[in-house]
């Protein structure tokens, strides 16, 4: 059985195309590694790479790419809108096929160990790979950003999981972890009242009493004159898309507002949408093994 | 770009396990050929094989398997509930990936030519491969079954497309064709009144005024005390599942009946369910290229 993991490393370079190509190159032409996408953002000054493949092959390609990034990115000169703490800011592994979360965590730990030794880089483990609950949330690890990290990691509770107890002078600090696939799912409302989108977001998201695997905020779509509940679904196997969609319709009703559409941004595992079809059609005893393409990939 | 076709040959042997294994064997251990499933039915005395792979490799495996079936099956001794006219009763090719319907038709014609020459077998082309509209419908070709075929193919309008103008003495006649993937989709109603299921079936199916790519009949689920609209969706890209499902709900309403669930039988292409999720969530500007597994298979 072929094992497949996904990895979505984020690098702190979104402007210099030559450097970006150098960082992306280790993902090209390698047995067992498939570069699905890479997107740079000039305002964020950040590069997001999406790669899938065999666990060991993906890990080795990421290790190589991290080496390039450590070499070509100088964080002392980095500016951008997105919070960041290192040249290789964050490296999440995502189990896709015949890989358990435990195996993805192991892979993250192996990469963290090898990269810390090879590049003299302090590394935190985060999310499912975290060694303490305080390190599960990436935002908490990254708080203070590159500029504050030299001081922060001197504190005993912020000693890195791997590597030296001081920042890399030009590459800063990296977080490596494991998580479920994210689904970026947005639901549009027929109002321009941002307050209503925010109220609905608070009603459906986990942190304020909503669904366990949903993060949500309200945002304005200015060009269309409407607002949106913008979400990250952090585990679609446990909080399926249809559930949050129906809940948003119910919450919208109290404001006399209607749902007028939705968006799925970027890549989505087929199961997230197939489970949604299964719900709406009320399909009895359906198995993912009935999906032709799943059988083709076995 | 890898090309993938599916083939679902039907053989007139559902009882003798030794013969069945001989017929299935050519689909095993071959480069570019994947045996997904084979199901025999004793009452029908019939074997249905589902295989996918590279067009040429699949065609050659089917050709080999046809040879075995012609050798081991004697139609003069065959009895079973399912209508049949030959040892290899029907061979449909189905385009799955990077294959056009035109290419699937070409493949059907190549197979028909080679098999007719090699096994001295009369062959009709049917559905999308048909050479006249009268031959599109398999049931019309098969009418008269094995027992009537010797006479039937003497008629000028039933001269086979390939092979001799007389039946194979023990293997009869074969139909080879190309079609879209079928989705077997059944919708359950909360009544035991078969008449209502039949009325709804007539309302939604193509032949009596319903949806273009829907075949439907009413059937009883005796053990559950309910009835079902049992359907073959013959082109889910043009008549999507959600459309017939919603239409059945609307038709059921006039009889005071509710839809209580549905069934998808056997294999289904992921797109059939993803398009259904897209409809119910009202996803704007969704592309199948956003499906992670589709990208993995490229």
């Amino acid at each position: 059985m072929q094992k497949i993991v996904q990895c979505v490393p984020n690098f702190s370079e979104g402007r210099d195309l030559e450097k970006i190509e150098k960082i992306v190159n280790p993902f090209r032409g390698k047995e067992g590694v498939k570069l699905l996408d890479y997107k740079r953002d000039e305002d964020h000054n950040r590069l997001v790479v999406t790669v899938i493949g065999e666990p060991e092959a993906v890990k080795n390609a990421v290790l190589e790419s991290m080496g390039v990034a450590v070499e070509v990115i100088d964080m002392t000169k980095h500016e951008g809108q997105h919070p960041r703490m290192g040249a290789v800011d964050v490296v999440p592994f995502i189990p896709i096929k015949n890989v358990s979360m435990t195996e993805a965590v192991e892979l993250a730990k192996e990469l963290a160990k090898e990269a810390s030794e090879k590049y003299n880089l302090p590394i935190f483990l985060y999310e499912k790979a975290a060694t303490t609950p305080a390190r599960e949330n990436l935002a908490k690890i990254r708080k203070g950003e590159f500029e504050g990290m030299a001081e922060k990691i001197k504190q005993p509770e912020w000693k890195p999981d791997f590597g030296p107890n001081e920042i890399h002078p030009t590459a800063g600090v990296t977080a490596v972890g494991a998580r479920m696939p994210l689904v970026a799912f947005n639901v549009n409302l027929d109002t321009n009242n941002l307050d209503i989108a925010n109220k609905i977001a608070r009603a459906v998201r986990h942190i304020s009493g909503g669904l366990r695997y949903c993060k949500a905020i309200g945002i304005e779509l200015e060009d269309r004159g409407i607002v949106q509940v913008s979400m990250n679904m952090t585990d679609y196997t446990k909080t399926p898309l249809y559930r949050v969609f129906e809940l948003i319709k119910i919450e919208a009703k109290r404001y006399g507002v209607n749902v007028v559409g939705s968006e799925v941004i970027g890549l989505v595992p087929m199961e997230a949408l197939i489970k949604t079809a299964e719900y709406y059609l009320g399909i009895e005893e359906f198995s993912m093994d009935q999906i032709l393409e799943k059988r083709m990939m076995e």
Side-chain angles (χ1 to χ4, degrees), chain A:
Chain A
M1 280 202 310
Q2 200 195 6
K3 291 172 184 270
I4 302 272
V5 291
Q6 186 180 12
C7 190
V8 188
N10 287 219
F11 303 92
S12 295
E13 178 58 69
R15 294 171 188 172
D16 186 323
L17 294 181
E18 205 177 311
K19 288 180 181 175
I20 287 169
E21 287 306 310
K22 276 186 190 167
I23 293 166
V24 172
N25 253 334
F27 299 111
R28 292 189 166 111
K30 285 219 170 52
E31 184 80 35
V33 176
K34 192 170 175 117
L35 176 63
L36 286 189
D37 190 35
Y38 61 108
K39 279 213 172 69
R40 67 190 186 94
D41 188 303
E42 293 208 12
D43 296 333
H44 289 183
N45 198 5
R46 194 175 178 87
L47 169 70
V48 179
V49 176
T50 304
V51 62
I52 53 168
E54 296 161 22
E56 194 67 17
V58 168
K59 186 192 74 178
N60 290 334
V62 172
L63 184 65
E64 191 183 330
S65 171
M66 287 173 77
V68 177
V70 167
E71 200 184 300
V72 302
I73 298 174
D74 183 354
M75 291 304 291
T76 65
K77 298 184 176 131
H78 184 274
E79 51 176 38
Q81 283 173 13
H82 198 288
R84 76 288 176 273
M85 59 182 179
V88 186
D89 199 53
V90 51
V91 182
F93 285 99
I94 302 140
I96 297 293
K97 206 182 120 199
N98 300 326
V99 172
S100 65
M101 186 54 83
T102 310
E103 289 173 282
V105 166
E106 270 316 299
L107 200 65
K109 287 181 179 174
E110 282 170 33
L111 177 75
K113 184 170 188 300
E114 292 171 32
S116 67
E117 287 167 1
K118 204 163 177 183
Y119 310 125
N120 203 34
L121 199 63
I123 297 187
F124 290 102
L125 296 170
Y126 82 105
E127 285 219 17
K128 302 285 185 194
T131 49
T132 75
R135 295 182 181 191
E136 279 176 27
N137 188 333
L138 178 66
K140 285 188 185 164
I141 297 175
R142 198 158 52 192
K143 199 174 174 194
E145 299 198 33
F146 173 73
E147 290 73 11
M149 219 39 75
E151 282 307 302
K152 181 173 179 174
I153 70 174
K154 299 289 183 209
Q155 300 168 39
E157 70 268 33
W158 289 110
K159 182 179 183 302
D161 291 296
F162 290 98
N165 209 8
E166 54 190 28
I167 66 162
H168 184 291
T170 54
V173 168
T174 293
V176 175
R179 60 165 172 82
M180 283 296 289
L182 282 184
V183 179
F185 181 49
N186 306 325
V187 175
N188 299 335
L189 306 172
D190 66 350
T191 173
N192 61 3
N193 187 335
L194 181 60
D195 191 43
I196 291 175
N198 275 318
K199 279 179 178 155
I200 295 173
R202 281 195 291 274
V204 300
R205 72 188 176 199
H206 176 236
I207 200 171
S208 45
L211 296 164
R212 174 69 185 88
Y213 295 101
C214 175
K215 295 178 178 181
I217 54 169
I219 65 167
E220 277 185 273
L221 303 186
E222 282 178 39
D223 52 329
R224 293 175 63 179
I226 61 173
V227 296
Q228 176 178 81
V229 181
S230 177
M231 294 174 287
N232 266 326
M233 303 303 292
T234 57
D235 188 346
Y236 66 86
T237 65
K238 293 183 181 136
T239 303
L241 301 195
Y242 73 80
R243 191 173 300 152
V244 74
F245 184 74
E246 291 298 323
L247 204 50
I248 289 172
K249 287 205 271 187
I250 287 167
E251 292 291 333
K253 216 183 285 178
R254 65 191 294 186
Y255 307 109
V257 161
N258 294 301
V259 165
V260 291
S262 72
E263 298 170 356
V264 171
I265 308 294
L267 292 174
V268 56
M270 65 174 171
E271 194 176 355
L273 293 174
I274 286 168
K275 290 289 163 190
T276 290
E278 201 183 329
Y279 168 78
Y280 284 109
L281 298 179
I283 307 176
E284 300 172 3
E285 292 178 35
F286 187 75
S287 157
M288 284 298 290
D289 287 330
Q290 291 179 249
I291 301 293
L292 182 66
E293 287 80 359
K294 181 162 186 293
R295 300 292 300 280
M296 281 166 66
M297 290 192 298
E298 272 166 9

